Amino acid sequence: MSIKVSFASKPMTKKDLLIVILDESLELGKTIASLDKEYNGIISNAINSKTLITKKGSSLSLFANKGKTIQEILIYFVGSIKNYNIEKADRIGGSIFSSIPKTISSLTVYYAFNRNKKIINEEFAARIIHGMKLRSYTFYKYKLKSKNKHHHSLKEIEIITKEPSLAKKYYSPLKFLEEGVYLTRDLVSEPANVLTPIALSEEALKLKALGIKVEVLNLSQIKRLKMGALLGVAMGSSNEPRVVSMTWNGTKNSKSKPEVCFVGKGVTFDTGGISIKPSGGMQDMKWDMGGSGVVIGLMKALAGRKAKVHISAVVGLVENMPSGKAQRPGDVVVASSGHSIEVINTDAEGRLVLADAVTYAINKFKPKRLIDLATLTGAVIVSLGPQRAGLFSNNDELANNIFNSGEKTGEKVWRLPVGEEYDDDIKSDIADMHNVGSGRGAGATSGAKFIEQFTQNIPWAHLDIAGVTWAKSNSELYPAGGTAFGVRLLNTYVKDFFE
Ligand code: BES
Ligand code: MG
Ligand code: ZN
């Protein structure tokens, strides 16, 4: 599945397909003009005869004779490039990938722009490749190879650019980012009979090979730490819970505090527990570990590209099942922070897991700020749909920075409130709080409000990614399935503000 990428100033070997990217100027530039000449003017003919439809995203497939061989050439029209930035360039790459025939195994990309101010040519080239790579992801491990007609055969991409070594420099961190994204998508796609809490903790342990420090707490250690909220959720399942912590320190200072601690909800399957969910669509709850999947993929990307920053992470891994041992609605549990919680609804389990994971993260790492990610509520999907994740924060600077990284990467968020006007929402008659809202709406805020109780007033942001973790249909940068939303956003956030 891995695709070899190369940057060159002229094509090295014959490829199955040549892709020519044209913008609205329809100017060929030197390289494409000479290619055009080599193939008897096939590209300029397509332009002059108006066979090429000049609508953004349209493409035209041509077959050129050259001696005895036939060369397929695909012209891809991008429209205006004036306002192109890295996010749009990524998406062009992804769209181009979708236009490639499935049988192609190697290709060369040509482009001719030099009039854009926001992005230089070499970065554009790197981003085109990055977009193609992101879109090329598949999860076909359970399909018979012989029946696998939907799988693309692409093994090699080459892009022609003036300064190949500079383009390569832009691309090299992006390759590691892709690997993080692929890992997250793999984890999110994996079914829950395979990806149990223990199996997921073992996936995190593999990151040790990259220089990440990984520690796994087993059941007796979790009990010793009195993580009563997380344990309450885990009680109904025969699969034991795990809590995993990870540290990447790419700075010279081994004593520094982590700039950020990322915390992820890792519910490997959410049946709802005794407050059981309806069966229609319940299979989706295999990706209720999406927050932890993003955290693990992000750590892989940061360590892979040797980010010069100190980051820590914690994921809480449990399965939420109904059984004779499961917790009941009305049960009171005590979290490791000492807070008592009345469990009104066993399906509001993510916040219970996060209560203990966040407490552990702050006590263990003393991070400067904490960002948690969770597929926490159906309510955030009602508010924002699959277009944006919900952002909640007690700190304007942190919230604004995350928002801006979202705009830059295209993994967009929208801030929703967690102010004190919502304090009463989680008040319980018999415990310090209960785990659902009072039933008067603002369900995503109730979830955030609950998590906030465990943040010890450090700068904190919560990303409710329930609507963006899994895509029902193909998009420019991913096929239907796990999106890994959050990995690219937070990689950029870390890079822009801490490196
Ligand atoms: N994992 C779900 C939230 C979810 C729903 C994620 C749909 C992805 C798609 C979460 O554990 C849950 O069940 N939340 C409840 C909370 C309620 C009981 C307060 C919900 O949103 O209905
Ligand atoms: Mg639930
Ligand atoms: Zn859940």
Side-chain angles (χ1 to χ4, degrees), residues 265 267 270 285 288 347 349-350 375:
K265 167 179 173 181
V267 176
D270 179 16
M285 288 300 106
D288 208 20
D347 197 12
E349 85 299 340
T375 49

Side-chain angles (χ1 to χ4, degrees), residues 364-427:
K364 181 178 174 71
F365 293 116
K366 315 235 165 353
K368 294 185 191 166
R369 47 190 79 68
L370 185 146
I371 300 175
D372 81 76
L373 295 108
T375 49
L376 205 74
T377 66
V380 83
I381 313 178
V382 176
S383 307
L384 301 173
Q387 287 89 347
R388 285 178 185 264
L391 165 67
F392 303 82
S393 181
N394 60 5
N395 183 288
D396 289 343
E397 189 191 345
L398 176 58
N400 291 339
N401 291 348
I402 294 173
F403 178 86
N404 290 333
S405 299
E407 298 302 301
K408 191 168 168 185
T409 53
E411 292 189 335
K412 296 182 178 180
V413 303
W414 199 259
R415 193 170 178 188
L416 295 168
V418 260
E420 53 187 28
E421 66 275 24
Y422 294 96
D423 279 353
D424 287 351
D425 229 28
I426 55 169
K427 276 210 171 123

Side-chain angles (χ1 to χ4, degrees), residues 67-111:
K68 280 186 190 144
T69 58
I70 293 177
Q71 177 67 63
E72 183 171 3
I73 300 174
L74 185 104
I75 303 180
Y76 185 89
F77 185 75
V78 294
S80 163
I81 58 152
K82 276 200 199 82
N83 292 316
Y84 275 1
N85 51 23
I86 55 178
E87 191 251 328
K88 284 182 181 156
D90 287 349
R91 287 200 276 135
I92 295 173
S95 310
I96 290 174
F97 184 87
S98 309
S99 328
I100 304 169
K102 291 249 171 15
T103 49
I104 296 296
S105 73
S106 63
L107 58 84
T108 301
V109 181
Y110 292 83
Y111 71 103

Side-chain angles (χ1 to χ4, degrees), residues 192-193 195-198 219 223 230-242 266-274 317-327 349:
N193 60 328
L195 199 74
T196 59
I198 290 180
L219 180 60
K223 282 182 176 162
L230 182 146
L231 283 166
V233 178
M235 251 164 57
S237 173
S238 53
N239 287 310
E240 284 185 9
R242 291 290 183 268
V267 176
T268 58
F269 198 82
D270 179 16
T271 63
I274 295 298
L317 313 178
V318 298
E319 186 176 49
N320 189 21
M321 296 291 263
S323 79
K325 289 184 177 164
Q327 73 178 340
E349 85 299 340

